Amino acid sequence: MSSCKRAPARAQIQGVIDRLVELGFTVHRSTGVVHTVLGGVGPVDNIDLADFEVMDGVKECHRIMSPYKLASRQFRPGGTVIRVGDVDIGGPKVVVMAGPCSVENAAQIEAAAAAVAQYGARILRGAHTNRAVRHTAFRASARKA
């Protein structure tokens, strides 16, 4: 990841992007009021950060080895909030999502909705099938019934 100096020239930013792409990185650019941050996602072997730190317009470079780099506080210090209906996910409150692993009929999902709401969940989740169960098992049980 590279952080560019305050108000670097477009050519300087493009030079860093071009070098990252040349080395096989995918570049994620975040342009702020004061700085531009370039997140390079890709190979980490034999990359010397000093090669980037000496480039025109570069303020500093950091190697981030943690998973979910693009969602990390280092990449996005302000955090990310996703709005689903009237619920903010990622804000200051904990949001509980609950529901069945697989939904077999309307009555089941309605009962699940009532139960999860009763216990404080704000979002109902469910899948049409359970990956652990073969989809043909549902067809077979329907035929037997």
Side-chain angles (χ1 to χ4, degrees), residues 109-130:
I109 195 68
E110 289 172 11
V116 300
Q118 178 183 354
Y119 290 102
R122 299 288 315 272
I123 297 177
L124 175 67
R125 51 92 40 220
H128 71 286
T129 60
N130 185 338

Side-chain angles (χ1 to χ4, degrees), residues 133-145:
V133 178
R134 293 175 307 142
H135 62 79
T136 55
F138 288 105
R139 288 189 202 133
S141 64
R143 286 186 198 126
K144 290 177 188 175

Side-chain angles (χ1 to χ4, degrees), residues 100-118:
C101 290
S102 64
V103 178
E104 297 177 22
N105 56 52
Q108 179 198 28
I109 195 68
E110 289 172 11
V116 300
Q118 178 183 354

Side-chain angles (χ1 to χ4, degrees), residues 62-144:
H62 303 278
R63 186 180 308 268
I64 302 172
M65 298 298 291
S66 62
Y68 311 109
K69 294 174 195 71
L70 298 178
S72 74
R73 292 282 183 201
Q74 288 177 314
F75 186 75
R76 192 178 296 273
T80 301
V81 177
I82 308 279
R83 190 169 217 18
V84 177
D86 64 345
V87 179
D88 287 336
I89 301 170
K93 295 181 181 178
V94 173
V95 177
V96 177
M97 295 181 211
C101 290
S102 64
V103 178
E104 297 177 22
N105 56 52
Q108 179 198 28
I109 195 68
E110 289 172 11
V116 300
Q118 178 183 354
Y119 290 102
R122 299 288 315 272
I123 297 177
L124 175 67
R125 51 92 40 220
H128 71 286
T129 60
N130 185 338
R131 290 180 192 218
V133 178
R134 293 175 307 142
H135 62 79
T136 55
F138 288 105
R139 288 189 202 133
S141 64
R143 286 186 198 126
K144 290 177 188 175

